[in-house]
Amino acid sequence: MRIGLDMMGGDYAPGEAVKGVKLFFDTVTSDAHLVLIGDETALKPLLEEAQLDTSRYTVVHSSQVIGMNEHPTKALKEKQQSSIAIGFYLLQHKKIDAFISAGNTGAMMVGTFYSIKSIEGVQRPTIATMVPREAGGYGLLLDVGLNADCKPENLVQFGILGSLYAKHILGTENPKVGLLNIGEEEGKGNLLAQATYPLLKDEPRINFAGNVEGRDVFTDKADVIVCEGFTGNVVLKMAESFHEVAVKRGIKDDYIDRFDFEYYGGTPVLGVSEPVIIGHGISGQRAFMNMIVVAQKMLESKLLDKIKESFIAK
């Protein structure tokens, strides 16, 4: 497998990206070949210093970088030699099997939707986040910002996509799917939640566990929690802020430490036909390593084939 990595994306690139590659090579057993996309002049001394096995990676030169504050569509159009544009070109033309970047999120989303097709039957691709559970392990919350407004059918598909990811990447057999709501009883919530509940209940491809409330998010009541992206993003940012406050106050706790985004790396775009993983702009070496690990798991498990089969079967 060939995994493409944008070496210029993120506030601490390319230094932390190179460190992440080294950490991956040193700690993960893998036959993955990494395609490092970035400015050769900037990368060469860092790669030499890291003393990486040159047989395990290839450098593809990019002469431009899309800044974090640039307009996504305009930047992709005008910067065809940027690391993000080249990454999507390679992915589109089957030169790499997955693409990872911690660069401009908007440019990554535009590149995904214009370069990579959605899987047939998927109405709206989604992004998810890992949710650390107090009893151990991780759940999944989606959508967390890509789709601020949704129809009931979209949330049902998020449940299917999340279930497949939880089963094949997180190793959760028959994952329970919950609908984020303001009460446990059927009939609670706004119009979207009320219309979604019976659809989830009747969907044979998921194991529906009913409504879950905010207090249930970090428990094992549901393995996959679905909501529209507006609510999901609020929950995500609130959880991240708890970790930030704990760090600032010098609080050390094993559970709170697991809210650090570097533990899980980046966010896969679920519902598109090729693996695309988007990282946080402040990603460090551990986040880069974990994004590579996620890409490897997606490829090894043939997750996208399973998603395609699930939607074709319907």
Side-chain angles (χ1 to χ4, degrees):
M1 70 181 75
R2 295 172 65 84
I3 298 174
L5 179 61
D6 173 11
M7 302 300 287
M8 311 308 291
D11 294 348
Y12 305 120
E16 289 299 306
V18 172
K19 291 178 183 177
V21 170
K22 179 174 175 56
L23 194 59
F24 176 76
F25 286 161
D26 289 347
T27 60
V28 180
T29 301
S30 173
D31 61 355
H33 186 88
L34 301 188
V35 178
L36 311 182
I37 308 163
D39 185 334
E40 286 183 318
T41 303
L43 288 176
K44 185 177 179 180
L46 295 173
L47 292 171
E48 289 177 349
E49 182 182 356
Q51 297 182 325
L52 304 180
D53 181 350
T54 55
S55 69
R56 300 188 64 185
Y57 72 88
T58 300
V59 175
V60 174
H61 178 64
S62 65
S63 59
Q64 297 174 309
V65 177
I66 295 178
M68 299 299 274
N69 297 316
E70 291 190 63
H71 187 279
T73 305
K74 182 180 179 182
L76 272 177
K77 183 178 180 180
E78 295 179 353
K79 292 186 172 182
Q80 291 293 301
Q81 295 304 309
S82 66
S83 50
I84 290 179
I86 291 174
F88 278 114
Y89 176 86
L90 295 174
L91 186 62
Q92 185 180 23
H93 290 82
K94 309 295 184 182
K95 303 296 185 182
I96 55 177
D97 302 304
F99 180 47
I100 300 165
S101 176
N104 185 304
T105 300
M108 284 297 292
M109 295 311 307
V110 171
T112 299
F113 294 131
Y114 280 90
S115 302
I116 311 302
K117 294 181 179 179
S118 296
I119 291 173
E120 185 177 352
V122 175
Q123 297 171 354
R124 290 192 187 182
T126 180
I127 53 176
T129 190
M130 305 274 277
V131 178
R133 298 191 295 199
E134 190 176 7
Y138 287 89
L140 199 68
L141 175 70
L142 66 168
D143 185 283
V144 291
L146 183 55
N147 300 285
D149 296 298
C150 293
K151 297 178 181 178
E153 295 80 7
N154 303 143
L155 298 192
V156 174
Q157 290 198 345
F158 297 167
I160 298 167
L161 292 167
S163 292
L164 291 167
Y165 189 87
K167 179 178 180 179
H168 298 291
I169 304 301
L170 303 183
T172 306
E173 282 299 323
N174 197 25
K176 297 174 290 185
V177 177
L179 174 64
L180 191 58
N181 210 330
I182 59 172
E184 294 182 349
E185 302 84 5
E186 184 173 355
K188 284 277 191 174
N190 57 15
L191 293 176
L192 175 61
Q194 291 176 29
T196 302
Y197 190 103
L199 297 182
L200 288 169
K201 188 177 181 180
D202 293 339
E203 175 52 61
R205 289 171 287 180
I206 65 172
N207 175 20
F208 185 48
N211 289 327
V212 296
E213 299 181 77
R215 63 187 175 187
D216 303 316
V217 170
F218 305 117
T219 71
D220 59 1
K221 183 171 182 179
D223 302 300
V224 177
I225 300 175
V226 297
C227 59
E228 26 61 56
F230 184 92
T231 300
N233 192 265
V234 171
V235 173
L236 170 62
K237 297 297 174 59
M238 179 70 77
E240 289 180 344
S241 73
F242 284 145
H243 178 260
E244 291 173 3
V245 170
V247 171
K248 288 178 181 177
R249 296 176 67 87
I251 298 171
K252 289 298 296 179
D253 180 89
D254 290 344
Y255 175 63
I256 293 177
D257 287 346
R258 290 168 58 216
F259 281 83
D260 185 348
F261 72 91
E262 297 234 348
Y263 268 78
Y264 49 87
T267 298
V269 184
L270 298 176
V272 293
S273 58
E274 304 290 345
V276 175
I277 297 171
I278 300 173
H280 204 297
I282 57 172
S283 290
Q285 58 181 302
R286 187 171 57 177
F288 279 105
M289 179 196 73
N290 285 327
M291 283 188 279
I292 301 169
V293 170
V294 170
Q296 175 180 285
K297 287 182 177 179
M298 290 180 71
L299 292 168
E300 288 178 341
S301 67
K302 300 187 183 301
L303 175 65
L304 299 190
D305 289 341
K306 292 175 171 62
I307 292 174
K308 292 172 185 176
E309 290 168 5
S310 179
F311 280 86
I312 290 173
K314 182 63 176 179

